[in-house]
Amino acid sequence: MWVDRLAREIGALGQAETATPERALDRMSAAAAREVPGCSAALVVIWHDVAPGDDRSEESEEVAGRHVVVDYGASHSDLATAFEHQYTTDEGPTVEAVREMRPVTVGDVLREERWPCYTSMAVQCGDRSSVTFPCELEGEVVTFGVHSGRADAFDESVVTPLTALLAEHAAVALHSADRYTDVAREAAHMRRAMSVRAVIDQAKGIIMHARGCDADAAFAELRGVAQRNRMKVADVARSLVAEHAENNSR
């Protein structure tokens, strides 16, 4: 059965000699997008639960009581953009799954009333339906989400337990990779999406000034470049900001 094959493939990703959490996350999401029926994109996220007084980060008091992203892998750049928006607004199926520690299913985001700030971004990024399952492992949480550009793409009674199985295999594989709990990596990646949104806003400002367009048009141009080059929007934004800074320093 495809789910057994996929579970073995995901589990093996943490055993390879060259395995790193970053590479494993990207390969897990790509494998799920390729193998799960009805799935057009997948997202795997590692979270750290910050407690008051947690000395792992200087920002611990600021973010105490919520989960922060350690790292993530998305099979497609649009889904990465949608997730970054979820994280910065604290709204959406993935952040709700980790906050409530329960499966979250979306039949059609256009019928959703739970996350008003997410609906527009989800539609722009082609995230119409999804199933996300959280799995806890030694103080960390892994969320495994399968997504589709079609409404009602998944049979909840079938896909939810299968996604749970894949999430468990992903958690074990990432633990085997042995780096995702490293304190330095956690501190470096905490509040990652906030810095991502800042650099995207900088890039939008550069485009708006150069083209005389509005913010929506500027963001659409960033997304277009990312899609054509199979990159994340944040990476395109960083390149543009760096290039702009270099040109101004001459």
Side-chain angles (χ1 to χ4, degrees), residues 20-32:
T20 64
E22 294 84 358
R23 184 174 298 175
L25 286 164
D26 288 339
R27 290 183 176 179
M28 286 175 188
S29 61

Side-chain angles (χ1 to χ4, degrees), residues 126-186:
D127 185 14
R128 287 288 299 274
S129 59
S130 61
V131 176
T132 303
F133 194 94
C135 182
E136 193 167 6
L137 182 68
E138 296 190 7
E140 306 291 338
V141 177
V142 175
T143 52
F144 199 107
V146 292
H147 299 252
S148 177
R150 296 185 296 106
D152 303 309
F154 304 108
D155 182 340
E156 182 178 355
S157 63
V158 174
V159 173
T160 298
L162 297 181
T163 305
L165 174 64
L166 297 178
E168 292 170 2
H169 278 72
V172 173
L174 289 165
H175 181 65
S176 298
D178 197 36
R179 295 188 187 180
Y180 85 97
T181 55
D182 180 80
V183 173
R185 285 187 66 251
E186 288 178 1

Side-chain angles (χ1 to χ4, degrees), residues 17-242:
E17 291 182 2
T18 58
T20 64
E22 294 84 358
R23 184 174 298 175
L25 286 164
D26 288 339
R27 290 183 176 179
M28 286 175 188
S29 61
R34 183 176 64 249
E35 297 288 346
V36 177
C39 178
S40 56
L43 175 70
V44 187
V45 187
I46 304 171
W47 305 81
H48 170 60
D49 186 4
V50 178
D54 188 340
D55 60 2
R56 296 187 180 198
S57 169
E58 294 177 357
E59 299 173 337
S60 62
E61 295 301 330
E62 178 185 350
V63 299
R66 64 164 291 186
H67 289 82
V68 293
V69 172
V70 175
D71 211 339
Y72 74 90
S75 62
H76 295 74
S77 60
D78 277 355
L79 188 56
T81 300
F83 172 63
E84 289 163 1
H85 186 270
Q86 285 190 63
Y87 189 55
T88 55
T89 61
D90 201 31
E91 281 195 10
T94 308
V95 295
E96 180 154 324
V98 72
R99 182 167 54 233
E100 303 293 333
M101 284 305 297
R102 62 175 178 79
V104 174
T105 301
V106 178
D108 184 355
V109 74
L110 292 179
R111 299 196 298 264
E112 280 293 342
E113 297 180 353
R114 289 176 284 184
W115 318 295
C117 292
Y118 182 61
T119 301
S120 177
M121 177 60 69
V123 172
Q124 290 180 47
C125 295
D127 185 14
R128 287 288 299 274
S129 59
S130 61
V131 176
T132 303
F133 194 94
C135 182
E136 193 167 6
L137 182 68
E138 296 190 7
E140 306 291 338
V141 177
V142 175
T143 52
F144 199 107
V146 292
H147 299 252
S148 177
R150 296 185 296 106
D152 303 309
F154 304 108
D155 182 340
E156 182 178 355
S157 63
V158 174
V159 173
T160 298
L162 297 181
T163 305
L165 174 64
L166 297 178
E168 292 170 2
H169 278 72
V172 173
L174 289 165
H175 181 65
S176 298
D178 197 36
R179 295 188 187 180
Y180 85 97
T181 55
D182 180 80
V183 173
R185 285 187 66 251
E186 288 178 1
H189 287 285
M190 281 184 177
R191 310 295 283 178
R192 171 182 177 177
M194 295 302 293
S195 62
V196 166
R197 187 55 52 192
V199 77
I200 288 175
D201 286 342
Q202 282 184 271
K204 285 165 56 179
I206 293 168
I207 294 171
M208 291 164 65
H209 182 266
R211 303 290 176 85
C213 61
D214 61 16
D216 289 340
F219 184 71
E221 183 163 342
L222 284 173
R223 285 187 59 227
V225 173
Q227 290 172 338
R228 289 193 296 273
N229 292 279
R230 301 181 66 83
M231 296 171 63
K232 293 179 180 178
V233 171
D235 291 337
V236 174
R238 288 190 190 97
S239 296
L240 177 59
V241 170

